Amino acid sequence: MTQYSKPLPLKNVTVTDPFWHTEQELVRTAVIPFQWNALNDNVPGAAPSYCMHNFKAAAAQNARKDTEGKQFVPPAYTYRGFESKPDDPAHPDPDKFYGFVFQDTDFSKWIEAVGYSLTQHPDAELEKTADAAIDIVCAAQLDNGYLDTYYILNGMDRAFHNLRWHHELYCLGHLIEGAIAYYEGTGKDKLLKAAERFADYVGEYFGPNPGQCKGYPGHEIAEMALARLASLTGEKKYLDLAKFFVDERGTEPNYFRYEGERDKRDGYSDTDWSFDYPYAQAHKPVREQDEAVGHAVRAGYLYSGMAAVAKLSDDPSLAKACETLWRNIVDKKLYITGGIGGTVHGEAFSYNYDLPNDAAYSESCAAISLAFFARRMLELAPRAEYADVMELALYNTTLAGMALDGKSFFYVNPLEVYPEACHKDNRVWHVKPVRQKWFGCACCPPNIARIVESVQEYAYTVADDASTLFVHLYMGGVAKAVLNGAEVTLDVTANLPWRGDGTMAVRLDAPAEFALALRLPGWAGRVDAAAAAVVATGEKDGRVTREVRDGYLYLSGEWRDGDEVAFGFAMPVRMLKANPMVREDVGKVAFVRGPVTFCAEGADNGDNLHLLHADVDAILGDPDAVRVVPFEFHAGAEGIDEQGQGEVDHVTRDMVRLEVPAWREPVPAGASAESPAFAPLYAEYRPAKREPVTATLIPYFAWANRGENEMTVFLND
Amino acid sequence: MTQYSKPLPLKNVTVTDPFWHTEQELVRTAVIPFQWNALNDNVPGAAPSYCMHNFKAAAAQNARKDTEGKQFVPPAYTYRGFESKPDDPAHPDPDKFYGFVFQDTDFSKWIEAVGYSLTQHPDAELEKTADAAIDIVCAAQLDNGYLDTYYILNGMDRAFHNLRWHHELYCLGHLIEGAIAYYEGTGKDKLLKAAERFADYVGEYFGPNPGQCKGYPGHEIAEMALARLASLTGEKKYLDLAKFFVDERGTEPNYFRYEGERDKRDGYSDTDWSFDYPYAQAHKPVREQDEAVGHAVRAGYLYSGMAAVAKLSDDPSLAKACETLWRNIVDKKLYITGGIGGTVHGEAFSYNYDLPNDAAYSESCAAISLAFFARRMLELAPRAEYADVMELALYNTTLAGMALDGKSFFYVNPLEVYPEACHKDNRVWHVKPVRQKWFGCACCPPNIARIVESVQEYAYTVADDASTLFVHLYMGGVAKAVLNGAEVTLDVTANLPWRGDGTMAVRLDAPAEFALALRLPGWAGRVDAAAAAVVATGEKDGRVTREVRDGYLYLSGEWRDGDEVAFGFAMPVRMLKANPMVREDVGKVAFVRGPVTFCAEGADNGDNLHLLHADVDAILGDPDAVRVVPFEFHAGAEGIDEQGQGEVDHVTRDMVRLEVPAWREPVPAGASAESPAFAPLYAEYRPAKREPVTATLIPYFAWANRGENEMTVFLND
């Protein structure tokens, strides 16, 4: 049985959850203002974005065109690099485009975070700033609706001619997402109308009809954005366009091959004309794809778009393809931190079961794209596994991408870090032992901002038939839904991720029939035990009955004002091992509790974490051997490097740490990497000497907040 | 006490050793003819070398110059790439240089192997071919002695202007090595004279005097070659030049920086003007270098040259630098297979204790360079460790570089191979699971050829005071030396690497006083036990006395014709573990016996070798638990890929395998990389299920002779 659902409107959910409210405030007060400065090239020491510069330049060009009329000569296309920089950084040419080909999206991601933030925290000043920015952006739009400053400024004659690399449709997708968020946050539709006009232009340019271009995005996101636009506006044309992009992808004759051959023939060498089709999931039609491959963010966005289109167009073959790809990711390509994309080469999924710890890529954006995908899989069919994975991605790799002061970020999220290797070993050049202030290719920080500011959208969906409210995440706050015509308010307290208990108070004007479907978290033990940890007052007098289906506890029947659902999920420490096919994790264990994956840092455990072993026998022998200790985590690191990379303000956060029985193999005397060695490199095998210690594990998302040190998620067994 | 020694002349040693004779015959009958075809672009399917083409083109240019006289206009320098290829491969321009900048060395390495081979196996036909080739090469030499066809054909005006990358002095070094070998094999000195003339030209161009160039080789080898030339000719000027190159290297102002800045200023961009000084060991003066860094082959050649110069110039500060670098390599940067250079980035030494197994570089040439270095350290001071490491490099990585049919080669010698990763994972793109036929950059195959054909040079050295013959390697054959004026013949039988026993019969015209110093192999147990395994007949009547010093057993006194030394070194199976600071090897063991390191292959043990564990408890409990099984190894693999890479003829070789008590963690049902998964990716930890098995280990040098399969040197403990 298929039960489609969709998220509650953002304004209908208020987040008061201590954990997520803190994160949202961090983004609101630290990240969003920083981003705005970054967009306007006002961050001392950081590479300029040129994002607003480009919109202003395009707007000025439009104005010139209006003034000059037929005298106006539009620029003839000139390729100036995938990233172009001014010859003299102190004096950028006000008429020229600078930055990456996708630089417009810096604005779109910012406005998206702003829109979400305004749903929770109205801010007239911020809204004013945003409105002014939107005026500039809209002034950059061409009369025909086209809006990508890269081609507007570099020459429109080659627009849509390099879909493989030039990200125009990616810009469209982000613009739509940002415009919708701002519309939802403020009710203002100026940017939304601009996005629709660009989408309309694209919808005429691309499509199945003769004369229309048969291309599709080189970097996906337009698919999911157009589906969202279709949902918001009710306009089928946007769904048709999304579906065209999804259906056309990877079909033969391959559009990207055609495009590359044309470029070569025409003498265009904007980029190498050859193309790695799996990199962009364009190697075969999406319904034939059974392994998640290629650039992980592209893949996550595509699969999200596929799931969205599958639901909106009620397409079982597409839903099946999504499920196949989901299974492949979850069963063979998912880090225990919720990260995906194991290899730096192409920032991509590696082969099945290849999940390197120290060389992991696990881009922050990729974990976020996995949460997008999971939410849309939930919308297709409520199954607890989707929510489990979504929660894992949100609480771990997504948050690990940002320092606890909101001021520095990871692009790459390794599961094991040995700082000396990061400094000396080119094989892990992509792995940074401390977070960086900002990135020229600024995808991860704003992506973190937009998902954190909209995290409530991942907590609830309401069934399309309005019969059921699904609770996917337990998040303190207030949610309003209309269920079977009744206005229902849910007042939730929760203590995630540190405790599994909480309550939901139901407020109603009058008794009403509906179902609340509560996810039974995978981390809470067997489904029946988890279900037993939930009690609804309405069950006592038989008004509400329970049924467990696909990991959800459906509490159905007549609900009355003041009804309460109490939940108290067990949150045992779980010592996990990876499937033996994961070569990197043989002989290793990891510790998770609730949705949180833990890790060991040098700051707590000393260096040489590769010699730290969990005392697995002791832990197997005594389920309480691992102590769960609530504590106040002190972040803070000063002057890590000359660029200030790795600095973290002194902030404290309530957390839980694990104290794990463990042992250490001693470092041979004198065998430090620096000292003159006298311990032989190879010697007769003797069982390792065991020095008993207690390993201290902290939440993975909190690592690298105390300066540069070693870290590992997996411990030796 | 310092005791200098030098190798016996190649012609004075005859190799009849079953093991090495087989290897030498393989090189003589398979590799040398193949190389000759390769030099002449006569290998179907292989990229042409253009080596002899270039010499012929240069010879023709010389002839034109002679004909045209003052009308002759020499080519003005034109950079045509680090490797240049004809526009039309079917019609190379007969006047142009093709191939890598160091392509001349293809000839030099070939003639070197030929020269060595002729010392063991006179071959009039081969000698005729070689003489003809030498005529061509010598015809290419300029009147002034310069001989590098790259600049002769591309323009001499920039000769010696890009020492960082253009390998002219590397060509000189190889030319000297080849010329000396051919002179030693045949007594013919035409090529030797040509090499001397080139060396003389270089010796005038470079040097400490005003007006002389202060540069030194970008890729070292000239240092060791010039030292050898000095030894052969007695000409101090060649030692002075070698010493200049050694002493000048890495001093300030840095010559390579000067050169790069000059290139930049002059607008030359043959290569990037910047330079990675440690890559070429030019980051500081060699006497201040205390860590082996940079390109491993360059390093090995430099250190060999340093050791040779240290001995010939009796320079303790240089000898001390060699010892410091040696210690760093042996204590922190040496693979258990005798390989060096852990990282593909720069084909270089990685940081201390970083010895990746699956991503190892461990170039064949680097292991060979380590043997060069070790032999020269032995010449400086006879210490058993030098010979132990030399032997390890020779029997393992050096030989692993060549298939058992002599027809395919490894450049990279990993310690762990998972073929799927080689095919799919860019992080190990450099690791090939099967050997390749030939390489465009053909350094490894000819390097293997030249060291195998001269392996007897590593077996013996004779003290400079002629008092002592050092036996470093136990190799069946006949060695002739003059000791204290007496002509001594040693008739050796040996059974290495499979058994540690053998005999040495001494033949003399008359009784003579001298010492035989036998290395006590590190693998044979404690020094006293190893010494006790040697008995000399002369000891019975007190003519010969014994003393152990630095791992050598000195048998000194009066020797008579018919005296015999019997040795019977124990050759236990040793289960070794790496220093715990080697992160990659934690929880792992490797098996070695005698000089041979063993490995497990999928062909014998099934796939998923990462789930194979040595039963270390059983092995510790019973020293005989590991069975040593002599057997006939059957090599052979057909049609591995479309280029025939990995094909091996069906040949058999007598070897020893180890049968090791082991256990396997079973592969979860259905969790093969291909099948749809139903085993979860992460699950509650349970101790691994142990399926008892016997692991079969074969010598590392014999791996990848039965088609593509998994391999690992280290097993889990």
Side-chain angles (χ1 to χ4, degrees):
Chain A
M1 193 198 75
T2 308
Q3 180 151 36
Y4 293 158
S5 65
K6 57 177 168 294
L8 290 176
L10 278 155
K11 283 207 152 181
N12 286 19
V13 188
T14 308
V15 179
T16 59
D17 189 84
F19 186 86
W20 284 111
H21 183 69
T22 304
E23 295 289 344
Q24 291 194 328
E25 281 295 288
L26 205 55
V27 169
R28 188 180 70 79
T29 59
V31 185
I32 290 177
F34 185 92
Q35 268 183 281
W36 177 243
N37 284 329
L39 293 184
N40 287 281
D41 313 330
N42 286 331
V43 179
S49 155
Y50 299 111
C51 176
M52 296 310 295
H53 162 99
N54 293 335
F55 283 115
K56 287 174 194 164
Q61 182 177 293
N62 279 343
R64 268 200 310 283
K65 188 182 167 197
D66 290 345
T67 311
E68 297 176 14
K70 289 189 174 169
Q71 308 296 319
F72 176 76
V73 181
Y77 181 66
T78 312
Y79 175 62
R80 294 171 40 247
F82 190 71
E83 181 186 13
S84 74
K85 293 177 177 175
D87 297 329
D88 176 2
H91 301 95
D93 183 333
D95 296 336
K96 276 202 176 140
F97 178 94
Y98 297 115
F100 288 100
V101 294
F102 48 79
Q103 208 68 36
D104 286 5
T105 61
D106 275 12
F107 161 78
S108 300
K109 291 169 193 163
W110 174 75
I111 200 74
E112 186 178 346
V114 168
Y116 298 145
S117 173
L118 292 174
T119 68
Q120 299 296 305
H121 189 102
D123 180 335
E125 194 62 33
L126 178 60
E127 201 169 322
K128 206 172 127 192
T129 303
D131 286 340
I134 287 169
D135 288 343
I136 295 167
V137 169
C138 290
Q141 188 165 33
L142 297 188
D143 293 339
N144 60 14
Y146 184 90
L147 181 43
D148 180 340
T149 64
Y150 174 82
Y151 280 103
I152 293 173
L153 292 169
N154 284 326
M156 282 295 295
D157 45 314
R158 295 293 290 182
F160 298 132
H161 272 60
N162 188 345
L163 298 176
R164 289 157 298 159
W165 290 113
H166 277 184
H167 289 68
E168 287 161 285
L169 297 172
Y170 174 78
C171 290
L172 168 69
H174 269 297
L175 180 66
I176 293 171
E177 295 272 347
I180 293 176
Y182 197 70
Y183 171 74
E184 292 191 337
T186 62
K188 294 177 181 170
D189 68 357
K190 180 170 181 176
L191 190 65
L192 183 63
K193 291 295 169 202
E196 287 178 27
R197 285 177 59 220
F198 189 15
D200 291 341
Y201 179 86
V202 169
E204 286 185 22
Y205 193 95
F206 293 88
N209 299 319
Q212 287 183 300
C213 177
K214 300 296 175 289
Y216 38 85
H219 192 315
E220 303 93 327
I221 193 177
E223 302 84 347
M224 60 187 277
L226 286 162
R228 190 173 171 195
L229 187 61
S231 294
L232 180 78
T233 61
E235 289 279 5
K236 186 168 170 295
K237 62 184 176 185
Y238 299 130
L239 176 60
D240 289 344
L241 182 57
K243 191 169 151 51
F244 171 76
F245 285 151
V246 165
D247 289 348
E248 195 66 22
R249 190 167 206 91
T251 57
E252 290 295 334
N254 189 292
Y255 183 80
F256 288 155
R257 186 178 311 116
Y258 153 77
E259 195 182 71
E261 286 169 0
R262 183 188 60 193
D263 277 7
K264 197 184 187 191
R265 207 169 47 236
D266 295 355
Y268 276 90
S269 56
D270 286 16
T271 57
D272 182 14
W273 67 274
S274 72
F275 196 71
D276 179 12
Y277 303 99
Y279 169 79
Q281 300 79 42
H283 52 304
K284 45 177 135 168
V286 297
R287 286 173 187 75
E288 295 172 22
Q289 296 187 21
D290 54 7
E291 183 178 349
V293 297
H295 187 261
V297 179
R298 281 174 167 76
Y301 288 177
L302 169 65
Y303 307 156
S304 300
M306 286 164 62
V309 169
K311 188 186 79 167
L312 294 179
S313 61
D314 202 16
D315 181 338
S317 70
L318 196 55
K320 186 161 174 291
C322 292
E323 178 62 23
T324 300
L325 291 161
W326 173 269
R327 282 255 61 77
N328 178 251
I329 293 172
V330 173
D331 292 346
K332 293 175 179 169
K333 299 195 175 188
L334 176 66
Y335 280 108
I336 200 165
T337 52
I340 53 173
T343 177
V344 59
H345 294 278
E347 307 178 319
F349 284 106
S350 189
Y351 54 91
N352 287 328
Y353 295 119
D354 185 43
L355 293 163
N357 293 308
D358 61 343
Y361 201 72
S362 186
E363 186 179 334
S364 305
C365 294
I368 291 166
S369 80
L370 180 62
F372 292 164
F373 183 28
R375 219 268 320 278
R376 283 155 185 82
M377 291 303 284
L378 281 170
E379 294 179 45
L380 268 172
R383 290 192 192 122
E385 184 190 63
Y386 302 140
D388 283 342
V389 170
M390 181 173 80
E391 191 182 52
L392 190 73
L394 286 172
Y395 276 102
N396 298 287
T397 298
T398 299
L399 292 183
M402 181 167 68
L404 292 177
D405 64 358
K407 293 182 179 171
S408 59
F409 304 89
F410 276 135
Y411 203 103
V412 165
N413 296 279
L415 280 78
E416 183 183 325
V417 166
Y418 179 46
E420 186 177 13
C422 299
H423 297 306
K424 297 183 178 174
D425 183 354
N426 281 308
R427 287 162 297 172
V428 291
W429 64 267
H430 58 291
V431 176
K432 309 296 174 205
V434 292
R435 291 180 184 81
Q436 295 176 268
K437 293 283 185 201
W438 196 251
F439 304 90
C441 176
C443 56
C444 296
N447 243 337
I448 296 168
R450 68 193 185 112
I451 200 166
V452 165
E453 291 301 280
S454 63
V455 71
Q456 61 273 26
E457 205 167 24
Y458 299 79
Y460 305 97
T461 59
V462 61
D464 278 7
D465 65 7
S467 65
T468 309
L469 179 67
F470 293 99
V471 180
H472 305 298
L473 300 179
Y474 296 91
M475 190 180 291
V478 179
K480 292 176 197 296
V482 177
L483 298 172
N484 291 335
E487 287 198 5
V488 183
T489 300
L490 216 57
D491 215 329
V492 181
T493 64
N495 297 291
L496 270 283
W498 314 122
R499 282 166 34 208
D501 61 326
T503 58
M504 297 179 184
V506 177
R507 285 189 269 127
L508 281 166
D509 289 336
E513 295 269 338
F514 59 84
L516 287 183
L518 277 66
R519 161 180 162 247
L520 302 173
W523 43 259
R526 293 165 50 102
V527 166
D528 48 358
V534 182
V535 179
T537 47
E539 291 182 284
K540 289 179 193 156
D541 53 11
R543 283 183 287 117
V544 168
T545 59
R546 61 168 54 208
E547 183 190 1
V548 172
R549 207 161 62 231
D550 293 332
Y552 280 76
L553 173 66
Y554 288 76
L555 297 168
S556 313
E558 187 198 293
W559 292 83
R560 294 182 188 164
D561 187 51
D563 272 1
E564 198 177 271
V565 180
F567 54 93
F569 298 118
M571 199 180 264
V573 175
R574 292 186 301 151
M575 179 167 66
L576 301 185
K577 69 179 282 185
N579 187 305
M581 294 303 289
V582 182
R583 304 171 86 88
E584 295 267 344
D585 294 338
V586 168
K588 294 184 175 180
V589 292
F591 291 85
V592 303
R593 179 174 175 272
V596 174
T597 300
F598 286 78
C599 69
E601 272 200 305
D604 301 308
N605 301 283
D607 279 343
N608 295 309
L609 294 177
H610 70 288
L611 297 177
L612 184 62
H613 294 245
D615 186 345
V616 293
D617 293 332
I619 298 164
L620 287 176
D622 173 9
D624 298 324
V626 177
R627 287 185 57 219
V628 177
V629 184
F631 77 118
E632 201 173 57
F633 182 87
H634 293 268
E638 283 160 25
I640 302 304
D641 71 14
E642 56 275 25
Q643 281 88 39
Q645 310 293 2
E647 284 190 346
V648 181
D649 290 350
H650 288 270
V651 294
T652 58
R653 290 277 289 272
D654 289 328
M655 291 188 194
V656 159
R657 70 169 184 260
L658 303 183
E659 297 190 348
V660 178
W663 58 273
R664 259 186 173 282
E665 178 170 356
V667 175
S672 85
E674 283 70 37
S675 78
F678 53 86
L681 193 48
Y682 304 102
E684 307 294 327
Y685 174 83
R686 296 280 171 272
K689 207 174 135 189
R690 296 181 170 216
E691 291 177 350
V693 294
T694 298
T696 297
L697 309 189
I698 63 164
Y700 176 72
F701 72 76
W703 89 275
N705 276 287
R706 295 173 294 178
E708 185 177 295
N709 71 166
E710 291 188 28
M711 184 277 289
T712 187
V713 169
F714 279 93
L715 268 57
N716 298 310
D717 69 8
Chain B
M1 194 195 79
T2 307
Q3 182 151 38
Y4 294 157
S5 66
K6 56 177 167 293
L8 290 177
L10 280 154
K11 282 207 152 180
N12 286 21
V13 187
T14 308
V15 179
T16 59
D17 188 84
F19 186 87
W20 284 110
H21 183 70
T22 304
E23 294 290 344
Q24 292 194 329
E25 281 296 287
L26 204 56
V27 169
R28 188 182 69 80
T29 59
V31 185
I32 289 176
F34 185 92
Q35 269 183 281
W36 176 242
N37 284 329
L39 292 184
N40 288 281
D41 314 330
N42 286 333
V43 179
S49 154
Y50 298 112
C51 175
M52 295 310 295
H53 162 99
N54 294 334
F55 283 114
K56 286 175 195 164
Q61 183 178 292
N62 280 343
R64 266 200 311 282
K65 187 181 166 198
D66 290 345
T67 311
E68 297 176 15
K70 289 191 174 168
Q71 308 297 314
F72 176 76
V73 181
Y77 181 66
T78 313
Y79 176 60
R80 293 170 43 248
F82 190 72
E83 182 186 13
S84 75
K85 293 178 176 176
D87 298 330
D88 176 4
H91 301 94
D93 183 333
D95 296 336
K96 277 204 174 137
F97 178 94
Y98 297 115
F100 288 99
V101 293
F102 48 81
Q103 208 69 34
D104 284 6
T105 61
D106 274 14
F107 161 78
S108 300
K109 292 168 194 163
W110 174 76
I111 201 74
E112 186 177 346
V114 168
Y116 297 144
S117 173
L118 292 173
T119 69
Q120 299 296 306
H121 189 103
D123 180 335
E125 194 64 33
L126 178 60
E127 200 169 322
K128 205 171 127 193
T129 303
D131 286 339
I134 287 168
D135 288 343
I136 294 167
V137 169
C138 291
Q141 189 165 32
L142 298 188
D143 293 338
N144 61 14
Y146 184 92
L147 182 42
D148 180 341
T149 65
Y150 174 83
Y151 280 104
I152 294 173
L153 293 169
N154 285 326
M156 281 295 293
D157 45 315
R158 295 292 290 180
F160 297 132
H161 272 58
N162 188 346
L163 298 176
R164 288 157 299 159
W165 289 114
H166 277 185
H167 288 68
E168 285 161 287
L169 297 173
Y170 174 79
C171 289
L172 168 69
H174 269 298
L175 181 67
I176 293 171
E177 295 272 348
I180 292 176
Y182 197 70
Y183 171 74
E184 292 192 337
T186 63
K188 293 177 181 169
D189 68 357
K190 179 170 182 177
L191 191 64
L192 184 63
K193 291 293 169 207
E196 288 177 25
R197 285 178 57 220
F198 189 16
D200 292 340
Y201 179 85
V202 169
E204 287 185 22
Y205 193 95
F206 294 88
N209 298 319
Q212 284 185 300
C213 177
K214 302 296 174 290
Y216 38 85
H219 192 315
E220 301 93 327
I221 193 176
E223 301 84 348
M224 59 189 278
L226 286 162
R228 190 173 173 194
L229 187 61
S231 295
L232 180 78
T233 61
E235 290 278 6
K236 184 169 170 294
K237 62 184 175 184
Y238 300 130
L239 177 60
D240 290 343
L241 183 56
K243 189 168 152 53
F244 172 77
F245 285 152
V246 164
D247 289 347
E248 195 66 22
R249 191 167 208 90
T251 56
E252 290 296 334
N254 190 292
Y255 183 81
F256 289 156
R257 186 177 311 115
Y258 154 77
E259 194 181 72
E261 286 169 0
R262 183 187 61 194
D263 277 8
K264 198 185 187 190
R265 207 169 47 236
D266 296 355
Y268 276 89
S269 55
D270 288 16
T271 57
D272 181 14
W273 67 274
S274 72
F275 195 70
D276 178 12
Y277 304 98
Y279 170 79
Q281 300 79 42
H283 53 304
K284 46 177 136 168
V286 298
R287 286 173 187 76
E288 295 171 22
Q289 296 187 21
D290 55 6
E291 181 178 350
V293 297
H295 187 263
V297 179
R298 282 172 166 78
Y301 288 178
L302 169 65
Y303 306 155
S304 300
M306 286 164 61
V309 169
K311 188 185 78 167
L312 294 179
S313 59
D314 201 16
D315 180 338
S317 70
L318 196 55
K320 186 161 175 289
C322 292
E323 177 62 24
T324 300
L325 291 162
W326 172 269
R327 282 257 62 76
N328 178 250
I329 293 173
V330 173
D331 292 345
K332 293 177 179 168
K333 301 196 174 187
L334 176 66
Y335 281 108
I336 200 166
T337 53
I340 52 172
T343 177
V344 59
H345 294 278
E347 307 176 321
F349 284 106
S350 189
Y351 54 91
N352 286 329
Y353 295 119
D354 186 43
L355 292 163
N357 292 307
D358 61 344
Y361 201 72
S362 185
E363 186 178 334
S364 306
C365 294
I368 290 164
S369 80
L370 179 63
F372 292 165
F373 183 28
R375 218 258 336 269
R376 282 155 186 83
M377 291 303 284
L378 282 171
E379 293 179 46
L380 268 172
R383 292 194 192 121
E385 186 192 62
Y386 302 141
D388 283 341
V389 171
M390 182 175 79
E391 190 183 52
L392 189 73
L394 286 171
Y395 275 103
N396 297 286
T397 298
T398 298
L399 291 182
M402 181 168 68
L404 291 175
D405 63 358
K407 293 183 179 171
S408 57
F409 304 89
F410 277 135
Y411 203 105
V412 166
N413 295 279
L415 280 78
E416 181 183 326
V417 166
Y418 179 46
E420 185 178 13
C422 300
H423 296 308
K424 296 182 178 174
D425 185 354
N426 280 309
R427 286 162 298 170
V428 290
W429 65 266
H430 59 290
V431 177
K432 308 295 175 204
V434 293
R435 291 182 186 79
Q436 294 175 271
K437 292 285 185 200
W438 196 251
F439 304 88
C441 175
C443 57
C444 296
N447 243 338
I448 296 168
R450 69 193 185 110
I451 199 165
V452 166
E453 291 301 279
S454 62
V455 72
Q456 61 274 24
E457 206 167 22
Y458 299 80
Y460 306 97
T461 59
V462 61
D464 278 7
D465 66 6
S467 66
T468 309
L469 180 65
F470 294 98
V471 181
H472 306 298
L473 300 179
Y474 296 91
M475 189 180 294
V478 179
K480 291 178 199 293
V482 178
L483 298 173
N484 292 333
E487 288 197 7
V488 184
T489 300
L490 216 56
D491 215 329
V492 181
T493 65
N495 297 291
L496 271 281
W498 314 123
R499 282 167 32 206
D501 62 325
T503 58
M504 298 180 184
V506 177
R507 286 190 268 127
L508 282 166
D509 290 336
E513 295 270 338
F514 58 85
L516 288 183
L518 277 66
R519 160 179 163 248
L520 302 174
W523 44 259
R526 294 165 51 103
V527 164
D528 50 356
V534 182
V535 180
T537 47
E539 292 182 284
K540 288 179 196 155
D541 51 13
R543 282 185 287 116
V544 169
T545 59
R546 59 169 55 206
E547 183 191 2
V548 173
R549 205 161 63 230
D550 292 334
Y552 279 76
L553 174 65
Y554 288 76
L555 298 168
S556 314
E558 186 198 294
W559 293 83
R560 296 183 187 163
D561 187 51
D563 273 358
E564 196 176 274
V565 181
F567 54 94
F569 299 116
M571 200 180 265
V573 175
R574 292 186 302 149
M575 178 165 68
L576 301 184
K577 69 178 283 185
N579 186 305
M581 293 304 289
V582 182
R583 305 172 85 86
E584 294 267 342
D585 294 339
V586 168
K588 294 184 173 179
V589 293
F591 292 85
V592 303
R593 180 175 174 271
V596 174
T597 301
F598 286 78
C599 69
E601 270 200 305
D604 301 308
N605 300 283
D607 279 342
N608 294 310
L609 294 178
H610 68 289
L611 298 177
L612 184 62
H613 294 245
D615 187 344
V616 292
D617 293 332
I619 297 163
L620 287 177
D622 173 9
D624 297 326
V626 177
R627 288 185 58 219
V628 178
V629 184
F631 77 118
E632 201 174 58
F633 182 87
H634 292 268
E638 283 161 25
I640 301 303
D641 72 14
E642 57 274 26
Q643 281 88 39
Q645 311 293 2
E647 284 190 344
V648 181
D649 289 352
H650 290 269
V651 295
T652 58
R653 289 277 288 274
D654 289 329
M655 290 188 196
V656 158
R657 70 169 183 261
L658 304 183
E659 297 190 348
V660 177
W663 58 273
R664 259 187 173 281
E665 178 170 356
V667 175
S672 84
E674 284 71 37
S675 78
F678 51 88
L681 192 47
Y682 303 103
E684 308 294 327
Y685 175 83
R686 296 278 171 276
K689 212 174 131 184
R690 295 180 170 217
E691 290 177 351
V693 295
T694 298
T696 297
L697 308 190
I698 63 163
Y700 176 71
F701 73 75
W703 89 276
N705 276 288
R706 294 173 293 179
E708 184 178 297
N709 70 166
E710 290 186 29
M711 183 278 288
T712 187
V713 170
F714 280 93
L715 269 57
N716 298 310
D717 69 8

